[in-house]
Amino acid sequence: MSTTLSEELKWRGLIKDKTFADNSWLDNSQTFYLGIDASSDSLTVGNLAIILLARRLASNGWHAYMLMGGGTSLVGDPGGKNQERILMSREQVVSNIKGIEAQVKSLFSEQKFTIVDNYDWLSKLKYVDFLREVGKHFSMTELMQRDFVAERMGKDGMGISYAEFSYSLMQGFDFWQLHNNHGVVLQIGGSDQWGNLISGVSLIRKKETKEVHALSMPLIINKTTGAKFGKSEEGAVWLDEKKTSAFKFYQFWLNVDDESVEEYLKTYTLLKKQEIIELLDKFKLNPGDRLAQKTLAYEVSKLVHGEIRAKAVQEISEVLFGKGSFLELDEAQKQVLTTELPVVPARDDTYEVVCSAGLAGSKGEARNFHSAGSLTLNGQRVLPEQSIHFQKGLNLLKRGKNSFAIVDNN
């Protein structure tokens, strides 16, 4: 028995707030839009979740409009921010949109969608007309109760400018424009955008006496830190390889906790329901093998960086953690590691090399690690009675389970 779109989205946990009563409304494919902020030239893994929801709708017959915030990004979205954004120039916003568009096209693969930019209509608005056409239909009481306004206006809030306060009205205007000109009947977004999402629903109901809808998906939270998902110790995890390397991207997913991996498999991969169920059954029998995390890391890397790149970083990762030989990696893969790990020159005093690589605090400690059998060279454990001998070229030196360095013996 086939699964409907609404059943699929519910099983994956992708439905939170909605203006329609029955989820089956989603099974009648129509036209929707997703707004994308242009505050950066790359999306993050936080953005990836909602992009993939858009792709799921598109693959089930919905026509997708991907709205680039060329106009709204000049003002700044206050949602999820505890202080005012720094205003960007028009040139910066245009540059950012080019980067984002390329990522969206890649993520949508063969699915059809249309890109629009709200600068095209917002830049032509006259202030008095905007107040009459839009502002007249919003109650100040309603706007002051929006979460992002209440937080910024509260006791410990940083306040909010009139510009950012007006953002919700601009987003409502976007929905109205897309509804009138392209027949859009649904807007999707993260749950932190709910106040903005319902602005268009309300505006269209009042101006056109028509029912349109909004759907939010749950905000993805790192269950270990409680922070908004998509942050690592180094900061945001980007889809652009120049900002977050494919290797670090893979490692980010590989290191997710057991408690969260099921949610991430459902949200961030295109694996089918039965595939995920079978995978989780195997994972529960042997959590230590981290099969779920390995599959997650590969599948998301394949979506973002392509199959060839995903396989390459998968092989590199397996070598680091004991499966496969470093010496069997090709030169390109070895060079990837030279950008990710400390690189030190080989020396006659091998304990000095261990220290300079940051794998020991002193030569005495390095000697102790050797005596304890804690050092691994090119995938082979160095026994206490063996000397440490670096082969010609690049070598992988490892101490314990998670400390690595490249030793260059050229």
Side-chain angles (χ1 to χ4, degrees):
M1 183 177 178
S2 60
T3 303
T4 64
L5 172 62
S6 59
E7 290 170 339
E8 175 81 8
L9 297 185
K10 182 179 180 181
W11 177 78
R12 289 183 182 271
L14 300 179
I15 298 176
K16 188 177 186 296
D17 302 304
K18 55 192 174 68
T19 54
F20 45 87
D22 190 337
N23 290 346
S24 63
W25 180 83
L26 292 167
D27 299 329
N28 178 25
S29 55
Q30 301 175 71
T31 305
F32 78 96
Y33 94 93
L34 168 64
I36 301 177
D37 181 47
S39 58
S40 175
D41 60 357
S42 173
L43 301 170
T44 69
V45 297
N47 305 127
L48 179 60
I50 191 66
I51 296 289
L52 290 179
L53 173 58
R55 175 172 167 160
R56 295 183 205 281
L57 288 170
S59 66
N60 280 273
W62 281 77
H63 184 78
Y65 276 84
M66 306 301 283
L67 173 69
M68 300 296 153
T72 43
S73 294
L74 292 171
V75 173
D77 179 1
K81 300 292 180 182
N82 58 15
Q83 59 186 4
E84 289 281 317
R85 292 177 185 256
I86 297 174
L87 292 178
M88 294 185 295
S89 67
R90 171 64 181 158
E91 292 74 22
Q92 183 61 60
V93 171
V94 170
S95 177
N96 289 349
I97 287 175
K98 288 181 180 178
I100 293 170
E101 283 185 355
Q103 291 177 344
V104 169
K105 289 175 182 177
S106 175
L107 291 169
F108 259 69
S109 186
E110 303 300 319
Q111 304 302 325
K112 293 182 179 180
F113 66 98
T114 302
I115 288 180
V116 290
D117 186 339
N118 62 16
Y119 183 81
D120 293 342
W121 53 81
L122 291 177
S123 62
K124 298 172 184 177
L125 277 175
K126 295 180 179 179
Y127 185 62
V128 172
D129 292 340
F130 181 73
L131 292 179
R132 290 175 62 87
E133 293 286 353
V134 181
K136 185 68 174 175
H137 297 282
F138 286 87
S139 160
M140 283 297 295
T141 302
E142 174 192 0
L143 292 173
M144 291 296 291
Q145 291 172 345
R146 298 282 170 86
D147 288 344
F148 66 85
V149 176
E151 290 172 4
R152 293 273 285 272
M153 295 292 288
K155 180 180 178 183
D156 299 319
M158 300 293 289
I160 186 169
S161 69
Y162 180 73
E164 287 198 1
F165 181 78
S166 303
Y167 184 95
S168 189
L169 277 67
M170 297 170 72
Q171 190 163 327
F173 187 81
D174 288 342
F175 199 168
W176 183 43
Q177 285 288 301
L178 291 172
H179 174 72
N180 287 342
N181 296 320
H182 303 290
V184 172
V185 297
L186 173 69
Q187 181 183 183
I188 66 171
S191 59
D192 58 339
Q193 286 286 312
W194 185 244
N196 292 331
L197 294 177
I198 60 175
S199 291
V201 174
S202 174
L203 182 64
I204 293 168
R205 182 183 298 125
K206 292 173 181 176
K207 292 185 68 66
E208 307 296 336
T209 62
K210 293 181 180 179
E211 287 295 325
V212 295
H213 293 287
L215 166 67
S216 80
M217 65 171 290
L219 200 62
I220 310 297
I221 300 296
N222 185 320
K223 291 181 173 61
T224 301
T225 65
K228 189 175 178 180
F229 189 66
K231 300 285 186 180
S232 69
E233 291 181 3
E234 294 79 25
V237 179
W238 302 92
L239 306 194
D240 186 342
E241 190 168 0
K242 294 189 292 291
K243 292 175 177 285
T244 299
S245 71
F247 176 79
K248 281 192 172 71
F249 187 84
Y250 185 93
Q251 294 298 314
F252 172 79
W253 297 103
L254 190 63
N255 290 321
V256 301
D257 61 274
D258 291 353
E259 183 184 359
S260 304
V261 71
E262 178 176 351
E263 177 187 1
Y264 300 159
L265 283 165
K266 292 177 178 180
T267 302
Y268 285 103
T269 78
L270 300 180
L271 294 175
K272 295 178 181 178
K273 179 179 179 178
Q274 192 58 38
E275 291 176 312
I276 293 176
I277 291 173
E278 292 175 0
L279 170 63
L280 291 172
D281 286 342
K282 293 178 182 177
F283 169 66
K284 290 169 184 175
L285 291 174
N286 184 16
D289 192 48
R290 299 183 70 76
L291 177 62
Q293 285 90 343
K294 291 174 183 176
T295 305
L296 173 69
Y298 175 75
E299 291 294 330
V300 186
S301 294
K302 184 172 67 173
L303 270 173
V304 174
H305 295 297
E307 187 173 6
I308 293 175
R309 201 81 176 108
K311 284 183 177 178
V313 294
Q314 181 187 52
E315 290 172 1
I316 292 170
S317 183
E318 288 179 348
V319 164
L320 287 181
F321 295 100
K323 291 186 178 180
S325 169
F326 174 77
L327 298 177
E328 292 177 359
L329 294 178
D330 61 35
E331 286 305 310
Q333 290 173 315
K334 290 178 182 178
Q335 287 301 319
V336 168
L337 283 177
T338 64
T339 65
E340 305 292 345
L341 303 176
V343 180
V344 297
R347 297 174 184 170
D348 291 336
D349 188 338
T350 55
Y351 294 138
E352 189 175 330
V353 174
V354 177
C355 292
S356 63
L359 303 183
S362 67
K363 290 169 64 173
E365 187 177 38
R367 188 177 294 107
N368 290 336
F369 285 143
H370 184 193
S371 299
S374 300
L375 299 179
T376 303
L377 181 62
N378 296 325
Q380 296 295 318
R381 189 161 72 93
V382 182
L383 299 176
E385 63 272 17
Q386 293 177 320
S387 61
I388 302 173
H389 176 69
F390 301 115
Q391 298 200 27
K392 187 67 177 176
L394 300 178
N395 295 257
L396 177 65
L397 184 61
K398 176 180 177 182
R399 191 259 299 166
K401 292 183 177 181
N402 298 303
S403 298
F404 307 92
I406 298 294
V407 180
D408 189 346
N409 191 25
N410 284 307

